[in-house]
Amino acid sequence: IEETTPQAQMYLESHPIVQNNFYVSSLAGQQSMYKIALLSKIPFSRLIMLDLPFKRAPRKAIWGEFNFQNNPLCFVAVHLESDANLEEIRAEQIKWIIENFDNQKHISPVILGDFNFQDADEEKTFIDAKFKDAWLELKKSNTGGGTYGVMRLDRVYLRTDTWRPKHMEVISNKKPPEISDHKGLFVVLESIKP
């Protein structure tokens, strides 16, 4: 969850449906305007909060690992700098996250969140590091992937030989509580490890 609203934070921290059915990363220590969270129905094998470098305002990345039958998978939720003219800072933030994975070859990384990309050239850092855009893998087009109007600010990137995207769609948040000013992404990954 990106840019968690105060109503959504109260919901995540107190609602019985969330508290009884999900493991939720901490929202503590995050500036209110940029809070992010990971939710999971299964326990994390490792969960850490990282300070993103090269930022103008305090921003975090949430790193959550799972070990599915010896097929490790790690989700990193991010909310990168949003100003249109900060492409270089976003690229440095992405490089920093990817370098953390390069030191842990046994984990299949999935990096997701609000990347605030303003044009197609911004995903070059992911492409150079052999990451794939889950939406483009499944849909073969940017059409229909808008999470903020028609803009594809929110994305899911993965680099793995043992997992693949099976299904993906944009979902709305029209029912209370309002979780974010962006629409959400729903993605199903399936294991392809023999």
Side-chain angles (χ1 to χ4, degrees):
I1 298 176
E2 308 294 327
E3 294 185 41
T4 306
T5 62
Q7 300 93 327
Q9 181 174 352
M10 286 177 23
Y11 185 83
L12 292 173
E13 293 175 340
S14 64
H15 198 283
I17 291 174
V18 175
Q19 293 301 307
N20 296 331
N21 295 289
F22 293 92
Y23 296 89
V24 183
S25 63
S26 175
L27 293 163
Q30 298 184 56
Q31 186 181 31
S32 62
M33 192 172 166
Y34 302 109
K35 289 185 180 181
I36 59 175
L38 281 176
L39 282 74
S40 174
K41 288 197 167 200
I42 59 173
F44 298 96
S45 58
R46 183 175 172 210
L47 183 64
I48 55 176
M49 188 182 312
L50 305 167
D51 289 312
L52 281 177
F54 317 107
K55 61 198 178 284
R56 293 180 314 136
R59 293 183 187 257
K60 306 286 185 183
I62 307 291
W63 177 296
E65 291 180 22
F66 302 92
N67 191 5
F68 297 107
Q69 300 175 340
N70 296 317
N71 191 1
L73 186 62
C74 179
F75 292 88
V76 177
V78 299
H79 180 202
L80 303 184
E81 290 290 345
S82 56
D83 287 350
N85 62 343
L86 296 178
E87 300 97 344
E88 290 179 14
I89 290 177
R90 287 190 288 274
E92 290 300 322
Q93 289 173 329
I94 293 165
K95 286 177 191 171
W96 181 82
I97 293 166
I98 290 171
E99 285 171 5
N100 279 281
F101 282 117
D102 289 342
N103 297 326
Q104 302 187 45
K105 301 284 186 194
H106 68 287
I107 295 175
S108 293
V110 179
I111 305 173
L112 49 91
D114 183 350
F115 293 93
N116 282 306
F117 289 165
Q118 304 298 311
D119 62 59
D121 290 342
E122 285 202 65
E123 70 177 350
K124 183 178 182 330
T125 305
F126 279 116
I127 293 166
D128 290 347
K130 308 276 190 277
F131 276 80
K132 295 180 180 176
D133 182 327
W135 184 269
L136 294 178
E137 285 291 300
L138 291 167
K139 310 292 184 180
K140 311 298 183 208
S141 164
N142 279 317
T143 304
T147 56
Y148 190 76
V150 297
M151 297 175 69
R152 281 190 66 224
L153 299 182
D154 303 270
R155 298 173 184 225
V156 177
Y157 288 95
L158 59 156
R159 182 177 68 190
T160 175
D161 294 326
T162 58
W163 294 90
R164 70 175 165 220
K166 183 178 180 180
H167 173 78
M168 190 169 183
E169 64 185 279
V170 176
I171 56 175
S172 181
N173 65 340
K174 294 187 185 217
K175 295 182 181 178
E178 182 181 330
I179 302 293
S180 172
D181 60 346
H182 292 221
K183 293 178 183 173
L185 290 174
F186 176 76
V187 62
V188 176
L189 300 178
E190 73 177 339
S191 175
I192 54 174
K193 188 172 183 177

